[in-house]
Amino acid sequence: MRAGLRARLGSPVVSPRKSVSGAVGPEALWEERVQRAAHPLAYPALRSARGRPVVRVPRIGVIVSDAAIAREVLLDLDHFSKVGPGAPSDLWTPVLGPSVLLNMEGAEHAALRRALGPLFSPRAVRELVSGGGGASSGDKADGADGGGVLPDLTRRLAAGERVDLAAAVSAQAGAVICGMVGLPPTDDAVRSAMSAAQTITGMVRLHRHGLTRSQVVRAREVLERLTAPARAAYRAGDPATVPGRMRDLGLSEREAMGAVGAFVLTGTETIQSFVPRLVAIAHDTGWTARLLAPDAALRRRAVEEGLRVTVPTPAMLRSVRADASVGGLPVAAGERVVIATLNCCRASGGFDPDRPVEPAVRHLWFGAGPHFCLGMPLAMAQVDVVLDALAAAATDGRVPVVGRRRAARSVLVPAYRSLELSLATAVETGAEEIA
């Protein structure tokens, strides 16, 4: 989407500093910075469509900004598909191959999803998040896996140090990547895995239908290096590794490698993005103590509300399979539908875990129907272990407070490049900031 798209949509971009009440909280201002740093052109253009439930934009497609209509599209498999012109298949098939859930429909999609289901059982995700799913126990390196990074985070915070939460979450997510591809999570392996994943996701832009030919070649090269250990683990059939378990579950090597690549590319950056943004929003709104309290139900409400506000998947794509109607607007086979999840979810207002969630909005950021995010249990487990680590440091009335922070630029999922935390006896306001 180029800057001229804003004029064609006919709705100006409204600054977050201007609302009906005339006041906007710091969490909204910082979220705006994070979003614009990631997508300086596409984000304002996407947001400019929020005043209209459905609008057709030349060369872009039909943009949906209403949650109820979006859910109808996601559930209507007869008329809308992830395979076809302008759909996710255009983006991912050239890189990952034809069988990776992201670009499948029908019976084959359902069969692969059933086969992968056991990998996301409560026990399986706990093992993977704690560092138990990547390599044999003798190969693990203390301080590098999910079981080492987070205790170190707790210790350093409790000792009065300032820590970079974005870096810690990145290391923890990198350890999970190592678990997915069968690497022992040493420091070098974690950094290499994160760098490889970010190299590929960094090529994706919201305003493009797919990658260029040279980008596809580059992405394939990077992905081949990243998944080489997974291929070896699959062939070895070691059930202590995720690829080995995939073989036991009956997946072919092609299916297993595609699944590993898809999970690594689509899931890692989401977690790396979400947890620091959630903690920043909690700090800015005075919710930190409640977020880290022992009350599991309260935490879950805050996490769900954080997901609604940050919107891990800001847009979803579908190709029209057969002539249909979207919110009363006729669409023809071959057209592209862009579900502006960001607009659908944020229409409810600012961060407020005490406000009931509209049924049409609930979990919309993870999709709906047969394409609902299979990796959600793993994502939630990763969120919980980081919050547990922060809660363990928050003793004697102290809570983590945010200091310096910096938004990441040119990333697929908006994120903080750095987010400094330290402990204080009360949630502080007016923390030091840098753009």
Side-chain angles (χ1 to χ4, degrees), residues 275-327:
V275 176
R277 289 167 72 187
L278 171 65
V279 172
I281 289 171
H283 165 85
D284 292 335
T285 58
W287 259 86
T288 304
R290 285 171 285 180
L291 175 65
L292 302 181
D295 187 333
L298 188 62
R299 174 191 287 190
R300 184 57 54 203
R301 292 209 317 269
V303 169
E304 293 283 346
E305 179 68 351
L307 287 165
R308 183 191 67 78
V309 171
T310 59
V311 197
T313 308
M316 299 180 188
L317 306 177
R318 291 295 186 271
S319 182
V320 180
R321 302 178 69 172
D323 293 359
S325 174
V326 177

Side-chain angles (χ1 to χ4, degrees), residues 82-83 88-89 92-93 96-117 120 251 255 258-260 262-263 266 318 370-375:
K82 298 187 78 170
V83 179
S89 59
W92 295 117
T93 300
L96 296 169
S99 304
V100 292
L101 290 184
L102 300 171
N103 54 3
M104 298 174 70
E105 290 285 4
E108 290 184 352
H109 171 268
L112 182 56
R113 187 180 175 95
R114 283 194 301 270
L116 291 169
F120 298 95
L251 274 71
E255 290 173 332
V260 166
F263 292 143
T266 61
R318 291 295 186 271
H371 289 292
F372 188 84
C373 180
L374 182 64

Side-chain angles (χ1 to χ4, degrees), residues 1-6 9 13 32 35-50 60 63 204-208 314-315 338 340 342-343 411-412 414:
M1 295 182 185
R2 302 193 180 279
L5 172 60
R6 293 193 290 271
L9 287 171
V13 178
E32 187 78 2
Q35 292 278 1
R36 287 177 178 270
H39 300 287
L41 294 180
Y43 171 73
L46 197 66
R47 289 295 282 159
S48 67
R50 67 187 182 273
I60 299 299
I63 300 180
V204 181
R205 312 312 303 158
L206 292 178
H207 61 282
R208 295 177 187 155
V338 180
L342 185 73
N343 296 342
V411 292
L412 175 59

Side-chain angles (χ1 to χ4, degrees), residues 364-429:
L364 187 61
W365 46 87
F366 284 132
H371 289 292
F372 188 84
C373 180
L374 182 64
M376 188 189 78
L378 177 58
M380 293 299 94
Q382 288 183 265
V383 172
D384 278 335
V385 294
V386 178
L387 295 182
D388 286 344
L390 296 177
T395 58
D396 301 324
R398 299 180 301 168
V399 295
V401 296
V402 175
R404 297 164 63 90
R405 51 181 133 174
R406 187 187 299 272
R409 300 187 182 279
S410 300
V411 292
L412 175 59
V413 181
Y416 281 106
R417 179 180 173 185
S418 61
L419 187 84
E420 185 180 86
L421 290 184
S422 60
L423 292 184
T425 55
V427 175
E428 299 175 347
T429 58

